[in-house]
Amino acid sequence: MDKIRIALIGYGNVGKAFADMLLRRADYIRDTFGTEPVITAICTASRGACIRPEGIDTKNLTDDMFDSGIDAFGVIDSGEYDVMVELTPINIMTGMPATDHVRKALQLGKHVITANKGPIAWHYRELRDLAKEKGVCFCYEATVMDGVPVYNLAQKTLMGCKITEISGILNATTNFILSEMERGVSFDDAVEEGRRQGFVEADASMDIDGWDASAKLTALMNVLMDEEITPMDIRRTGIGGVTPEDIRAAKAQGKWIKLLCRGWIEDGKPVGVVEPTLVDEGSLATTMEGTASYVTINTDLMGGVTVVEEPFEPEIDHTAYGVLSDLIRILTDRR
Amino acid sequence: MDKIRIALIGYGNVGKAFADMLLRRADYIRDTFGTEPVITAICTASRGACIRPEGIDTKNLTDDMFDSGIDAFGVIDSGEYDVMVELTPINIMTGMPATDHVRKALQLGKHVITANKGPIAWHYRELRDLAKEKGVCFCYEATVMDGVPVYNLAQKTLMGCKITEISGILNATTNFILSEMERGVSFDDAVEEGRRQGFVEADASMDIDGWDASAKLTALMNVLMDEEITPMDIRRTGIGGVTPEDIRAAKAQGKWIKLLCRGWIEDGKPVGVVEPTLVDEGSLATTMEGTASYVTINTDLMGGVTVVEEPFEPEIDHTAYGVLSDLIRILTDRR
């Protein structure tokens, strides 16, 4: 049977969840595509890498299978894979080192999947064109709203439509904090509770200052509206300045405060805004509780289509499915 | 240039809107698929049919171009088309005559698009298998939520997931009436207002009694959960019995009444329910105002994904886009 060989660059929670999900759906992939999916390389941050051209039994990984002398580029250069999956920790402000990993693998003519929004927010057009030149797939469904199809929705199901505007709530951490504040919890206590539940990071500034949301909006505008902007081009206001008084004053007018992302074209130029915004009580945005998120894609032919991601346990599986759906897209497109 | 020839069976508002939209996107189709879309046959209810193998200029249709001696089957038998688009008025209780049109065209080895939920609610499996046997496409995106991708969402973007439950608000007329009643308008006045706005039909019983919602839920369950049920199998309660007192009593508990559709598997058997249901104020269902609708698809790998259709003017374009997206799907799949 034909094989598709996968290299995982980064093997934290998402990588492990993806490896598990791949085992659960191996039969489906074999039956549907006549292809055997095998993980042939795993690169970790602390233990080095494991390369096994014959396939790695991810259920029985041991430390002695890893070679501490091999790093991510060593794995990428080895060429012992068909698809490189980029899952390293993100630096939102630079898109590195993920972008270098993606570029290198594409240059070698490998398909690439990234769950990392950095490369899409900072270098999308270059990487897209490189993939096209090399005749390979470049997929990134998990970069926005985890596994919920956003890019695929637009690219596979809204074909022929021109996308005129994108809006939504794209950052779970700030939405959770604002939801808690609506209930009278203080900002600091909300952050603490988010940390306790595990989805607010030790340094929450990338979320609270609106950088994460800006990077996601940038990624969506670059891909779906064919723009070439970076997160620096977004008019960005975080939620650090939102006070309990602001929330109460909004409530008195029948409004809630949400960190909305909006992108559109004005006088031929892309405009992207991320800022705390008043929304009507009872509107879709106010139904996004805790870590829920949504995006509305406005089109010329049929108005708006909205997709909603509901909170899901374990959330990591959502992201892992985004990666799996990219793998399935590669298998579909190369058929 | 390669041509794709289209026969329109039924030429009311949706047919005309589709013909207009096709002209607006002809360049896109030529550029993307290297194919020239031409309408070669139009069949009307009152004037008979017009068949022009060289293509019909839909902007300049005149009565003398129609032959009153040719009916739908005459057009279908003529074979002067590659894709048959079925747009005749629906009989929800039988799925006829749409199903006969679809079956005949498939038997002749033609691709089929239907905006008609009847064939999918009553005869999906037979028609799907026939299309497969003949090696042609059978598409029906516009049958539920107009042009909003529901089937395509599941089939093109949630691949590898098993769909475990479907729920949502699928009938605009009843949702409009219940929304008005929430605001204190009487049932009869709400029906009258819906008629004035043009989306409540003269005989509204198919909507009010829940048959339309049941047919849509059946269609979704047949296609997305691979079931083989008919609208008769749905536990169905319409909104005719909902009183202002019910609405008030619900409100006192912080609830609204919505006509919810739900389908799932219980003890290995499909269960479909359409009934007025109490939903929490502030939940997604209560944000569906007027003719808005939504569907939530629950999956094993990543929980629920929800798509929302917002009210859009002109609404008929929404349906027309559903048909256009099916045409694009056929062009994509046959590449």
Side-chain angles (χ1 to χ4, degrees), chain A residues 72-87:
Chain A
F73 289 103
V75 172
I76 295 168
D77 282 332
S78 78
E80 296 287 355
Y81 59 96
D82 305 301
V83 182
M84 190 275 269
V85 181
E86 157 56 46
L87 301 170

Side-chain angles (χ1 to χ4, degrees), chain A residues 79-102:
Chain A
E80 296 287 355
Y81 59 96
D82 305 301
V83 182
M84 190 275 269
V85 181
E86 157 56 46
L87 301 170
T88 62
I90 169 86
N91 182 329
I92 291 179
M93 302 308 290
T94 63
M96 293 298 168
T99 301
D100 284 342
H101 298 160
V102 170

Side-chain angles (χ1 to χ4, degrees), chain B residues 55-67:
Chain B
I56 298 171
D57 176 5
T58 51
K59 283 286 181 210
N60 294 293
L61 273 182
T62 52
D63 278 350
D64 63 332
M65 292 165 66
F66 287 83
D67 181 339

Side-chain angles (χ1 to χ4, degrees), chain B residues 289-302:
Chain B
E289 289 217 50
T291 59
S293 57
Y294 80 94
V295 66
T296 299
I297 296 172
N298 268 290
T299 69
D300 60 340
L301 291 186
M302 58 169 292

Side-chain angles (χ1 to χ4, degrees), chain A residues 24-25 28 147-149 153 157-161 282 284 287 296 300-303 306-308 310 312 318 321 328, chain B residues 24-25 28 147-149 153 157-161 282 284 287 296 300-303 306-308 310 312 318 321 328:
Chain A
R24 286 163 67 193
R25 282 303 184 269
Y28 163 80
V148 168
L153 180 82
T157 80
L158 297 177
M159 289 176 80
C161 285
L284 184 78
T287 68
T296 299
D300 61 340
L301 292 184
M302 58 168 292
T306 298
V307 273
V308 178
E310 293 166 30
F312 177 62
H318 238 176
Y321 176 72
I328 293 172
Chain B
R24 287 164 68 193
R25 282 302 185 269
Y28 163 81
V148 168
L153 180 83
T157 81
L158 296 177
M159 290 176 78
C161 284
L284 184 79
T287 69
T296 299
D300 60 340
L301 291 186
M302 58 169 292
T306 298
V307 273
V308 178
E310 293 166 31
F312 177 63
H318 238 174
Y321 176 73
I328 293 172

